[in-house]
Structure formats: structure tokens, C-alpha cells
Amino acid sequence: MNSPYFYIVSAYLTVFVVLFWQWLLPWRRWQQYIKHKIKT
Amino acid sequence: MWLASLLSPKKFFYVSEALFPWVSLIFLMSLTYGLIDGLFFVPADYLQGEGFRIIYVHAPCAFLSLGIYAIMSFAAFLHLVFRIKIASIILRQSASLGATFTFLALITGSLWGKPMWGTWWIWDARITSELILLFIYLGIILLQRSLIKNNHAHASMIAVLTLVGMVDLPIIHYSVSWWNTLHQGPTLKIFAPSLIHHRMLMPLIAMIVAFMAFYVLVLFLKLRYEFIVKMNHDWQEIR
């Protein structure tokens, strides 16, 4: 906990996990729509 | 009238399809440069040591939290004055992204504050006003979810709430100048030399560009879905 790297890694991991999730939700929804559209 | 035709769903679809790969390229290039240079090559700060590297995620999140709200306020104005439909959709779809960036600015600020100030949280003017911004975003999202019909009157209610919340933006921006705060003063200045060394500034600008590109990419994805699926525009036909 005293190492600055603990705080740096925590900050970067939090940001990129949350942003990846923010991107994944609309991306997956769009891909599912395209798949469904191609099938029908 | 020309603005309304420019912002029609069909035209928007063509523009977003054309821009998507270029914005993705800008995002990847600036993110790669910003991360590698900011984390591994920029020298440590003389006072804060290695811990200052949190700035490369904290400052872009804080910038976007204010920037997205400014875009939402402009969209609210366009919706109320010119009744442009795409403006209300941009306003609706940006709220969750703005709330995410505000939340991340607070979390990364807390993770930066603990090693530098010795505390995770303090009721400082900058931090408190940023927390109020998060509550405003959450209020807008809750209002959107509580309104079942997606009609003009309901969109106008959201637009009015957004414009009322805009009062928090100058308070956040000038809080470090108006009050004595633990939070440092503005680092980046547009009309005066920035207080940060140019070697540290370059990756910071790259990360801000990367986060802005990320916002545009996710907004494109959300708007496409909204136009085509919810507004019943046929995808094959539009393509």
C-alpha cells in the first residue's frame, strides 16, 4: 500500500476495465443486431 | 433548416460509417503513444515522484466529465430552440458516458490523493463540485428511465434539467481559483503558458485526444443502434 505503483496500477486498471465495459455493451448489441438482420 | 437536413439519420449514418475507422485510428495511435510515453519514458515528478503518472488517466477523465456535459447542454439548447431530433438523442446517449467519466475522475483522484495528501477523500471545493456533477448526471439518467414515452415533451424535460445543471460547470472550473483548495490549481491553460513541463504535457494531450476519440466512437455505436433499431430505419436500406 505504500508503493506508488499500487495506486498507479489501481487507477489505470479501474479506468480501462470500466471504459472497456462501456465500449463492449453497445458493440455487442450492434453485432447481435447485424447477426439477427443477416439471418432474417 | 440546413442544419436539420445535415443531421438527418440517413446522413448521420453515412458520416459515422466514414468517420468510424479514422476516429478508431486516432484513438489507437494517441492511446498507444500516451500510455507508453506517459508510463515509461516521461521522468518522474520532482515532488510527487512516480505517483504523478495518475494524471494521464485522471485529467482526461475530468476533462471529459466537463466536456460531455458542455456537449449535452449544447444539444439541449438545439433541441429546445430548433427541435432537432438528433440533438435529444445525443443528449440522452451521452449521459451515461459523462457519468462514467465523472465517476472515474473521482476514483482516480482518490487514488492519487491518498499517496499525495494522505487521505482518500476531502470535502474540497473542486472534489465536492465534481461529486455534484455526478449527481446531476445520475439525476438526468434517472429522469430518462422514469419517462416511459420517448416524445418531444419528455425530451424537453430532460433538456431543461440539463441546462439547469450547467451552472455547476463554471463552479467546477473556477473552484480552485475562487477558494483555497487542497486540489492544485489549473495545470493546462489555453490563454497562458501551461504550468506543466512540455515533456510531461505531450502524453497528457495524447491521452485527452484518445479519451475524446473513445467518447465519439461509443457515441457513434449508440446512435447507430438508436436510429436503426429504435427508430425503425432499415439497416440494409440505409447502407
Side-chain angles (χ1 to χ4, degrees):
Chain A
M1 286 284 276
N2 286 329
S3 166
Y5 298 107
F6 167 78
Y7 298 100
I8 296 171
V9 171
S10 303
Y12 277 75
L13 265 182
T14 310
V15 167
F16 287 107
V17 167
V18 172
L19 291 187
F20 180 69
W21 169 71
Q22 277 285 319
W23 173 81
L24 193 66
L25 290 180
W27 177 257
R28 277 185 60 186
R29 199 172 54 174
W30 179 250
Q31 293 302 317
Q32 279 166 1
Y33 172 73
I34 291 174
K35 265 187 198 167
H36 169 76
K37 200 76 198 170
I38 290 167
K39 272 184 196 167
T40 52
Chain B
M1 213 37 217
W2 63 270
L3 191 66
S5 66
L6 197 73
L7 295 173
S8 71
K10 201 170 181 173
K11 279 210 173 135
F12 171 80
F13 199 92
Y14 286 128
V15 171
S16 73
E17 286 265 288
L19 287 180
F20 200 89
W22 293 106
V23 181
S24 304
L25 190 70
I26 292 169
F27 168 70
L28 287 174
M29 282 172 65
S30 49
L31 185 75
T32 309
Y33 164 70
L35 275 181
I36 293 173
D37 200 25
L39 281 176
F40 302 108
F41 293 106
V42 167
D45 184 70
Y46 82 101
L47 191 64
Q48 299 191 14
E50 297 290 343
F52 99 97
R53 296 184 201 280
I54 295 176
I55 197 174
Y56 297 120
V57 282
H58 173 70
C61 286
F63 181 84
L64 262 288
S65 72
L66 296 181
I68 292 175
Y69 203 89
I71 291 169
M72 283 169 60
S73 303
F74 183 61
F77 171 79
L78 286 180
H79 168 78
L80 289 172
V81 177
F82 299 105
R83 296 192 166 208
I84 296 171
K85 192 154 192 166
I86 191 174
S88 67
I89 300 169
I90 287 173
L91 167 56
R92 204 165 53 239
Q93 297 296 341
S94 294
S96 60
L97 279 164
T100 303
F101 280 114
T102 311
F103 170 75
L104 287 173
L106 288 168
I107 293 290
T108 52
S110 187
L111 282 163
W112 197 2
K114 180 64 182 164
M116 298 304 148
W117 301 338
T119 180
W120 296 101
W121 184 265
I122 189 165
W123 294 101
D124 171 275
R126 168 60 70 85
I127 303 165
T128 309
S129 52
E130 186 77 11
L131 181 66
I132 291 169
L133 181 66
L134 179 64
F135 291 150
I136 294 169
Y137 272 124
L138 294 179
I140 293 168
I141 294 167
L142 285 175
L143 181 64
Q144 285 170 2
R145 298 205 171 162
S146 63
L147 300 174
I148 300 160
K149 284 183 185 172
N150 188 16
N151 59 23
H152 183 79
H154 286 171
S156 299
M157 283 169 69
I158 296 164
V160 169
L161 178 65
T162 307
L163 288 176
V164 170
M166 210 175 82
V167 75
D168 195 34
L169 294 197
I171 295 175
I172 295 173
H173 185 73
Y174 293 108
S175 58
V176 287
S177 312
W178 290 343
W179 295 287
N180 272 326
T181 56
L182 196 55
H183 192 284
Q184 67 187 59
T187 309
L188 285 176
K189 292 179 177 180
I190 297 170
F191 301 111
S194 291
L195 298 176
I196 186 170
H197 191 272
H198 69 89
R199 187 65 194 86
M200 292 168 168
L201 180 64
M202 286 187 297
L204 180 59
I205 290 173
M207 289 298 277
I208 291 174
V209 169
F211 278 44
M212 283 164 69
F214 176 85
Y215 163 66
V216 171
L217 288 175
V218 177
L219 190 66
F220 276 173
L221 282 174
K222 287 183 167 200
L223 290 179
R224 267 193 213 176
Y225 187 82
E226 176 99 11
F227 280 140
I228 292 169
V229 181
K230 292 193 182 166
M231 290 170 72
N232 297 320
H233 287 280
D234 193 274
W235 178 62
Q236 305 286 358
E237 204 175 277
I238 282 183
R239 274 174 80 92

